[in-house]
Amino acid sequence: MIVHLILPTVSFLAGIYLLFTMVRPIPRHPQPLPAVIGANVAPMLRKKYPMRISVIIPARNEEENLRTNLPLWMSAHELDPDLIAEIIVVDDSSTDRTAFIAMAAGAKVHSLRHSPRAWYGKTWALISGATRAKGDWLLFADADVYIEPGHLLQWLRNLPPTAAYYTVQPSHKHQESFEQLTLLANASTVLMMSKGALPPRQSGGFGPFSLTPKEVYFHVGSHLLVRSEILEQYRFAQKMSFYVPVINLLGGNTIFQNIHKNLNELWTSWVKTLAASALAEGNRWRSFLIVLWIMGLLSFWPIWLNSQQPTKSHFIAFSIAYFAEAALLLALLRRSGSFSVISASLFPISSLLLVIMFLHSVWKIMIVKQVEWKGKVWNIKRQENIKT
């Protein structure tokens, strides 16, 4: 029994390292950017960009999310119209009342009929909104992202007006029971990401929320560079990291994200991204530690199934290891959402579910070479939309 606990112990140590080196929440106080020296970045980094922000929200059949979330964005605009200059909702071929809800809330609406053949996901909507933006900074936010207006404005006012690319993984609140089961997928996404990088080092970025000067966005090449990527925002952060600092943050008590509407939508979302995330170029050291950590969580299955009349000391050792892993997982998860103690305690189930989702993702991306999201089917091999 004690020998069997070697892997969980090593896994636990890997998890401790990941916890103390993971991305931090949005800071409450001003944080100066580190100095960067390099031929590619020096001209842009010497400039000051006035903090006039255009918020761009791509939306495809997001009537329900916009009804709830858009008033909060409009509130931030009304509280400080000089900082939040405009809210642009890009209606990406919606079949519901997305455009009507956005207009009724007071946002500017730009409607798209369809995406060009070689453009996947929201990239066409993002660049379409960016070309119409009047602000000096572009803030891209998914339609299911919502904010605490006062906290957001405080953070934005504290930002230095110099070139950088900020990405934020929003906090997840009020999860349904079916979403609690995917807690390990959520944790892996956050743990995979580094805090950022300075040029010329590469760093990926989170997808739901990003912020950068408009001039920098188009100088680097805009989302045109990643138009056929499944992880378009992650890849775009890698492109940006060659020119400006990339800074990755957690939403904390400032930026949040709604839960998925149902189990099918949740499953489809993770199937679309899990295998692509694992194969993405990034921090291989962190990837290795995450795999080691998850293997340790999975190892409790054979320990439990092979146990036959364990001694008292073995039972105590197993219990300590089990609850230590659960406590560590809960500490990791509390940084990114409101996951419950019970969900963390059921980590053998969630770790097995993560493996199943990952294998399904590998099947769809590597074998079938098709992914689906919000009614669109993308043929990876041909790099084209085959269903809209």
Side-chain angles (χ1 to χ4, degrees):
M1 172 70 78
I2 300 299
V3 174
H4 293 162
L5 293 177
I6 292 177
L7 179 56
T9 301
V10 175
S11 162
F12 180 77
L13 295 175
I16 290 291
Y17 175 86
L18 291 168
L19 173 63
F20 284 99
T21 58
M22 71 185 294
V23 177
R24 300 300 180 185
I26 288 175
R28 297 182 180 181
H29 306 290
Q31 300 285 328
L33 290 176
V36 182
I37 300 175
N40 288 341
V41 301
M44 285 190 292
L45 290 184
R46 284 197 295 265
K47 293 189 64 174
K48 304 291 184 182
Y49 301 91
M51 291 301 292
R52 293 182 64 255
I53 300 171
S54 293
V55 177
I56 299 167
I57 303 175
R60 178 179 171 87
N61 295 332
E62 295 285 2
E63 174 185 345
E64 294 183 25
N65 280 326
L66 290 180
R67 185 181 288 112
T68 304
N69 301 342
L70 195 53
L72 296 172
W73 287 104
M74 298 308 302
S75 176
H77 168 64
E78 293 165 3
L79 287 170
D80 195 341
D82 293 328
L83 181 61
I84 306 294
E86 59 183 347
I87 311 291
I88 302 173
V89 174
V90 183
D91 176 22
D92 189 6
S93 308
S94 298
T95 56
D96 64 0
R97 300 169 71 243
T98 289
F100 176 81
I101 296 297
M103 286 187 288
K108 298 179 180 179
V109 177
H110 173 61
S111 296
L112 303 176
R113 292 186 177 180
H114 55 80
S115 301
R117 177 179 177 179
W119 292 69
Y120 172 69
K122 59 187 178 184
T123 50
W124 180 244
L126 293 174
I127 195 173
S128 297
T131 56
R132 289 163 175 79
K134 298 179 180 179
D136 297 288
W137 288 69
L138 303 176
L139 192 163
F140 300 104
D142 289 352
D144 57 0
V145 169
Y146 65 98
I147 58 171
E148 203 296 316
H151 291 170
L152 179 70
L153 292 175
Q154 180 183 358
W155 174 56
L156 293 175
R157 289 170 186 145
N158 288 336
L159 291 181
T162 52
Y165 185 65
Y166 298 89
T167 81
V168 180
Q169 178 66 23
S171 298
H172 291 253
K173 296 263 183 175
H174 313 301
Q175 288 90 348
E176 298 289 346
S177 56
F178 64 80
E179 191 165 19
Q180 293 277 339
L181 292 174
T182 63
L183 77 177
L184 271 177
N186 183 282
S188 299
T189 299
V190 174
L191 293 174
M192 185 75 71
M193 203 68 65
S194 67
K195 296 179 181 178
L198 302 180
R201 293 183 59 193
Q202 267 197 331
S203 173
F206 296 117
F209 181 108
S210 58
L211 174 70
T212 196
K214 182 178 180 181
E215 181 180 328
V216 174
Y217 173 79
F218 283 106
H219 176 85
V220 172
S222 76
H223 283 93
L224 174 67
L225 299 176
V226 293
R227 62 190 181 277
S228 300
E229 298 282 354
I230 296 174
L231 301 177
E232 71 285 339
Q233 294 291 69
Y234 182 90
R235 292 296 194 185
F236 188 62
Q238 289 183 323
K239 304 292 185 183
M240 293 288 281
S241 65
F242 283 108
Y243 296 88
V244 298
V246 171
I247 299 158
N248 298 321
L249 300 163
L250 299 179
N253 62 351
T254 302
I255 301 169
F256 308 91
Q257 194 167 25
N258 289 338
I259 61 171
H260 294 84
K261 299 172 186 176
N262 52 61
L263 180 58
N264 180 62
E265 182 179 300
L266 176 66
W267 188 274
T268 303
S269 172
W270 286 118
V271 166
K272 179 176 75 79
T273 59
L274 275 177
S277 299
L279 297 172
E281 298 175 7
N283 192 323
R284 289 184 171 84
W285 170 243
R286 296 192 70 83
S287 300
F288 168 76
L289 291 177
I290 291 171
V291 171
L292 180 61
W293 175 55
I294 293 174
M295 287 176 60
L297 299 181
L298 286 167
S299 69
F300 281 88
W301 280 105
I303 293 174
W304 177 61
L305 293 174
N306 294 330
S307 296
Q308 296 180 356
Q309 297 181 343
T311 64
K312 183 178 180 180
S313 60
H314 290 165
F315 177 78
I316 293 174
F318 175 83
S319 300
I320 291 174
Y322 189 95
F323 288 110
E325 288 281 17
L328 174 61
L329 178 57
L330 186 62
L332 290 165
L333 292 166
R334 286 291 170 87
R335 297 278 186 91
S336 59
S338 56
F339 293 92
S340 69
V341 175
I342 295 176
S343 298
S345 301
L346 297 175
F347 66 81
I349 298 176
S350 57
S351 58
L352 188 60
L353 183 62
L354 175 64
V355 172
I356 295 172
M357 284 195 299
F358 179 77
L359 293 176
H360 188 194
S361 183
V362 170
W363 169 258
K364 295 289 287 186
I365 292 176
M366 305 300 296
I367 309 300
V368 180
K369 295 189 179 299
Q370 285 185 11
V371 291
E372 181 178 355
W373 181 240
K374 293 187 178 296
K376 290 185 176 181
V377 178
W378 176 249
N379 187 304
I380 298 171
K381 186 175 181 179
R382 297 180 183 176
Q383 293 194 345
E384 63 179 356
N385 294 299
I386 60 176
K387 175 185 176 183
T388 302

